[in-house]
């Protein structure tokens, strides 16, 4: 029997703290914390208006070699590791897949994604393709960030599922099992759990002064003064915070 490792999930209150933090804010704050590019590049949001935050289940694909992997689509299902990745799903999880940017293999279809959603999964991030896309978009309430779509099944052409819950490269970015993913219409950002509490604190401060700056800019205030805050603008911001009872 195949056994694959589960992930260590961050505390629920840490995940909840990202409710008002966008992928853009997470990326910018991570840069200031020393991570140059936490963006999973080349993946497009396919469910406009959807935002997800949760821990990463990871799935790694490798190039197909027929002497090592000759399993048909429905033969020996338990040998197919993409299924095992989904077996670990708990409510709030996000599946993140290194499919080698392959455009010929649909790593999941509607049946797999239906199971994933039924287990509480909230988003799929695939450096490659899925299939059954029209049905998934129509029938399932999960976020999707993909390179593309294809009618082919997962091992039909060039790649095979190789490992579950191991470090992967997704969108040219390292993702560790259990990392926090923040994904919205801008894209997906990976947040190391060790940096998450500091990121949340900095992001909340950033969001607060941006709220003030947005108000001032909408009222005709000058960009030089209010974004970022100049010394004069910051004095106004401090007074505004006091008025707001912050």
């Amino acid at each position: 029997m195949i056994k694959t490792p589960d992930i260590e999930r961050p505390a629920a209150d840490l995940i909840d703290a990202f409710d008002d933090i966008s992928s853009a804010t997470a990326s910018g704050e991570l840069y200031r914390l020393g991570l140059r590019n936490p963006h999973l590049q080349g993946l497009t949001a396919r469910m406009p208006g959807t935002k997800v935050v949760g821990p990463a289940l990871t799935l790694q694909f490798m190039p197909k070699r027929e002497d090592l992997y000759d399993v048909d689509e429905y033969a020996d299902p338990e040998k197919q590791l993409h299924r095992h990745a989904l077996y670990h799903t708990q409510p709030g999880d996000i599946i993140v897949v290194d499919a080698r940017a392959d455009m010929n293999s649909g790593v999941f279809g509607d049946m797999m994604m239906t199971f994933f959603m039924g287990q509480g999964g909230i988003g799929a991030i695939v450096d490659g393709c899925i299939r059954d896309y029209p049905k998934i978009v129509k029938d399932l309430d999960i976020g999707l960030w993909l390179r593309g779509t294809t009618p082919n099944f997962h091992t039909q052409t060039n790649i095979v599922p190789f490992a579950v819950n191991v470090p992967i490269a997704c969108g040219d970015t390292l993702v560790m099992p259990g990392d926090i993913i923040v994904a919205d219409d801008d894209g997906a950002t990976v947040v190391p759990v060790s940096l998450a509490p500091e990121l949340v604190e900095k992001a909340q401060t950033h969001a607060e002064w941006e709220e003030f700056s947005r108000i001032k800019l909408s009222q005709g205030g000058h960009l030089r003064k209010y974004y970022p805050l100049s010394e004069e603008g910051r004095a106004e911001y401090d007074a505004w915070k006091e008025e707001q009872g912050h």
Side-chain angles (χ1 to χ4, degrees):
M1 182 177 179
I2 293 175
K3 292 186 178 181
T4 56
D6 201 357
I7 62 172
E8 183 176 344
R9 291 169 176 82
D13 60 346
L14 183 56
I15 298 294
D16 292 343
F18 281 83
D19 280 352
D20 296 321
I21 298 175
S22 68
S23 65
T25 296
S27 179
E29 294 302 335
L30 284 170
Y31 175 82
R32 285 179 276 278
L33 290 172
L35 266 63
R36 183 175 59 85
N37 189 5
H39 170 224
L40 308 187
Q41 302 154 60
L43 313 183
T44 304
R46 300 301 179 106
M47 302 287 276
T50 298
K51 178 193 172 187
V52 298
V53 180
L57 298 168
T58 65
L59 172 62
Q60 180 193 52
F61 276 72
M62 294 290 274
K64 185 175 184 178
R65 224 179 78 177
E66 285 77 4
D67 64 317
L68 297 178
Y69 195 98
D70 61 356
V71 179
D72 188 45
E73 180 179 7
Y74 298 119
D76 294 320
E78 288 306 300
K79 290 185 178 179
Q80 301 181 26
L81 287 180
H82 69 318
R83 301 169 64 96
H84 289 266
L86 300 186
Y87 292 164
H88 292 288
T89 306
Q90 293 186 19
D93 283 353
I94 297 170
I95 182 71
V96 184
V97 184
D98 170 14
R100 302 181 60 79
D102 189 279
M103 301 302 290
N104 292 303
S105 300
V107 301
F108 298 121
D110 73 299
M111 299 301 285
M112 294 290 185
M113 287 290 90
T114 298
F115 170 77
F116 177 65
M117 189 186 77
Q119 297 298 303
I122 59 173
I125 298 176
V126 181
D127 191 358
C129 297
I130 64 169
R131 68 172 184 166
D132 302 325
Y133 173 74
K135 191 167 183 59
I136 291 171
V137 169
K138 177 176 178 288
D139 295 343
L140 302 184
D141 183 23
I142 57 174
L144 298 172
W145 288 261
L146 317 167
R147 281 196 186 272
T149 63
T150 176
N152 294 345
F153 65 82
H154 67 303
T155 59
Q156 187 167 333
T157 56
N158 304 320
I159 59 175
V160 296
F162 190 80
V164 171
N165 290 331
V166 297
I168 62 170
C170 185
D172 290 327
T173 300
L174 176 64
V175 179
M176 302 295 289
D179 276 347
I180 296 171
I181 301 294
V182 181
D184 53 27
D185 286 343
D186 270 345
T189 296
V190 57
V191 179
V193 175
S194 62
L195 295 179
E198 188 174 1
L199 186 156
V200 167
E201 182 179 351
K202 290 180 179 296
Q204 288 171 344
T205 300
H206 188 104
E208 193 174 75
W209 72 255
E210 274 201 347
E211 179 186 354
F212 167 78
S213 293
R214 190 176 293 108
I215 292 169
K216 290 299 185 181
L217 293 173
S218 71
Q219 294 171 346
H222 203 285
L223 201 61
R224 287 194 181 100
K225 182 176 180 181
Y226 293 112
Y227 193 77
L229 288 174
S230 65
E231 187 174 337
E232 183 182 1
R234 182 161 292 279
E236 290 184 25
Y237 164 62
D238 290 339
W240 175 82
K241 271 205 311 181
E242 191 170 335
E243 289 175 6
Q244 300 296 311
H246 289 215

